[in-house]
Amino acid sequence: APGSMSGSGPEAAQPGQAAEAGLQEAEQDWAAAKAFYDNLVSKRPRPPKPQHAITVAVSSRALFDLVEERRIYEEQGVEKYVEYQQENENVTLKPGPAFHFVKALEHVNARLLELYPDDEERFDIVLMTNNHAQVGVRLINSINHYGLTIERFCMTGGKSPIGYLTAYLTNLYLSADSEKVQEAIEAGIASATMFTANKDVAYSDTQLRVAFDGDAVLFSDESEQIVKEQGLDRFFEHEQLNENKPLAQGPLKGFLEDLGKLQKKFYAKNERLNCPIRTFLVTARSAASSGARVLKTLRSWGLEIDEALFLAGAPKGPILVKIRPHIFFDDQMFHIEGAQKLGTIAAHVPYGIAQKYHKPA
């Protein structure tokens, strides 16, 4: 009808044309930047384009231990906090909960560059922080001290970084701020709140190890809703009836997919037995009663998981001690707390019905 918003006239085509023009301009910008860098001699690999990279954005409080600095900020205000950081900019920050994970990502990158020197499909780690730029020197000094390759910084001076996460085409956002993580999840970005382990453990230097919970992490919370609202027996019945119907995807499915893509690059070079990435499913489901649907869902997505552990309600902490993942993603805080106590670095995914029952502190 005349005047309606849907139509097939010239106006209807404009948004699509504008988006296409924007993409062409972005491609031209990248081509110009590449040409500039290609003329510079450097041993450092050039950061990949966001369209090709697996971008992992990490906050400064996830990467480093900033507990004391945070206390100064909360008790004395932002000016004293900035002053303290500037006075201590030559004092190296201690590792935070995401530190070993980032180191493992960089090891994978090094292996990828050996096998595929010209390929841009690798991890790009971005420091995404609402810190003020004046704090940047201490962060840079600490990153250089540990030999980390973090070239992209986004320091938003107290503003929310969520818009920048979208602009960077972020595949995973890790922060110590649960409100920012919730905001990112609501914006459709895979995100988790990092928690430091209560014990020091040794992590693999040669293999990135990532453990995922199933429901409300890799998969939707459809099944958890039935458990919470109708009980366990109804849940088992529902899962067996729907065994051949794939579960809907959850917030971290895309990141497992990214890891799988990189694993296949190693397999293609006959490196399956020496692959620097290993993935784990650690779920409270029981295998016999509700495991088939999970495995068939992964198969329908074309995804492999290296190890699947069905715990039938047993605590996850002791199993995670054996796995020693660099990061463990779960949607339920009691699993996060149990993992923490036994030395696992855990990341809370604030998604699904479980958040109504247990809000993170």
Side-chain angles (χ1 to χ4, degrees):
S4 67
M5 291 194 70
S6 61
S8 55
E11 294 81 7
Q14 283 175 359
Q17 288 171 347
E20 193 176 326
L23 281 173
Q24 284 175 351
E25 282 177 18
E27 283 296 324
Q28 286 166 3
D29 284 347
W30 274 103
K34 182 178 185 302
F36 175 78
Y37 275 102
D38 284 348
N39 289 326
L40 302 175
V41 178
S42 172
K43 289 181 182 175
R44 280 181 177 243
R46 194 168 50 83
K49 287 169 67 173
Q51 291 95 319
H52 300 153
I54 296 161
T55 301
V56 177
V58 184
S59 77
S60 54
R61 283 202 293 143
L63 185 61
F64 294 118
D65 178 348
L66 288 163
V67 172
E68 175 60 19
E69 288 77 2
R70 183 71 181 175
R71 186 188 62 76
I72 291 167
Y73 175 81
E74 288 173 352
E75 292 177 7
Q76 299 178 43
V78 67
E79 298 306 324
K80 287 289 183 189
Y81 166 79
V82 170
E83 187 182 314
Y84 176 86
Q85 292 282 42
Q86 288 178 320
E87 286 171 358
N88 289 276
E89 61 188 27
N90 293 316
V91 178
T92 303
L93 291 161
K94 290 178 181 171
F99 181 87
H100 295 289
F101 175 66
V102 166
K103 287 282 282 184
L105 297 181
E106 295 200 343
H107 174 72
V108 173
N109 277 354
R111 290 281 310 277
L112 282 167
L113 282 165
E114 285 170 15
L115 297 173
Y116 300 94
D118 300 319
D119 197 314
E120 289 197 304
E121 194 172 35
R122 61 183 188 272
F123 296 110
D124 187 20
I125 299 137
V126 177
L127 189 73
M128 186 73 65
T129 172
N130 64 349
N131 255 304
H132 290 257
Q134 294 92 319
V135 180
V137 173
R138 190 177 188 195
L139 293 171
I140 290 166
N141 286 345
S142 297
I143 282 166
N144 287 337
H145 171 83
Y146 292 111
L148 298 175
T149 306
I150 301 177
E151 304 287 3
R152 302 196 211 272
F153 270 43
C154 192
M155 308 186 73
T156 65
K159 300 294 183 187
S160 171
I162 304 305
Y164 294 103
L165 292 173
T166 305
Y168 274 81
L169 305 180
T170 301
N171 298 80
L172 178 67
Y173 172 52
L174 300 174
S175 173
D177 186 328
S178 59
E179 288 183 11
K180 297 270 190 325
V181 167
Q182 183 69 59
E183 198 182 337
I185 283 273
E186 286 166 7
I189 297 161
S191 311
T193 310
M194 298 294 299
F195 290 89
T196 305
N198 293 353
K199 294 179 183 177
D200 285 335
V201 299
Y203 298 95
S204 172
D205 290 330
T206 57
Q207 187 176 65
L208 168 67
R209 300 168 77 84
V210 184
F212 299 88
D213 177 32
D215 296 297
V217 175
L218 290 180
F219 314 116
S220 75
D221 69 334
E222 163 203 329
S223 299
E224 270 189 8
Q225 287 184 40
I226 293 168
V227 173
K228 293 281 193 291
E229 293 166 0
Q230 299 177 46
L232 208 51
D233 289 341
R234 178 71 187 93
F235 161 73
F236 290 145
E237 186 186 322
H238 176 268
E239 292 305 285
Q240 287 174 341
L241 282 170
N242 291 279
E243 182 182 311
N244 295 312
K245 180 187 174 189
L247 288 151
Q249 69 179 54
L252 268 292
K253 182 250 187 175
F255 187 61
L256 176 61
E257 209 164 27
D258 293 330
L259 295 176
K261 268 191 236 166
L262 294 187
Q263 283 179 311
K264 283 174 182 166
K265 292 172 89 74
F266 289 100
Y267 302 164
K269 297 283 188 178
N270 204 27
E271 292 279 317
R272 183 180 281 269
L273 296 180
N274 195 26
C275 183
I277 302 170
R278 194 160 184 85
T279 56
F280 303 81
L281 173 68
V282 182
T283 172
R285 283 175 177 251
S286 61
S289 308
S290 60
R293 190 179 185 196
V294 161
L295 296 176
K296 287 183 177 182
T297 296
L298 289 170
R299 189 190 301 161
S300 77
W301 291 346
L303 293 181
E304 293 179 26
I305 199 110
D306 293 307
E307 298 187 31
L309 298 115
F310 293 90
L311 303 186
K316 296 181 180 181
I319 289 292
L320 290 165
V321 169
K322 298 296 181 191
I323 294 171
R324 292 195 178 178
H326 293 92
I327 194 166
F328 164 58
F329 295 101
D330 203 293
D331 67 307
Q332 306 210 44
M333 278 306 296
F334 73 90
H335 286 312
I336 298 288
E337 288 155 5
Q340 265 186 293
K341 281 175 193 164
L342 294 178
T344 295
I345 289 176
H348 178 245
V349 181
Y351 177 84
I353 195 168
Q355 310 322 305
K356 296 177 185 175
Y357 290 80
H358 193 147
K359 288 276 186 189

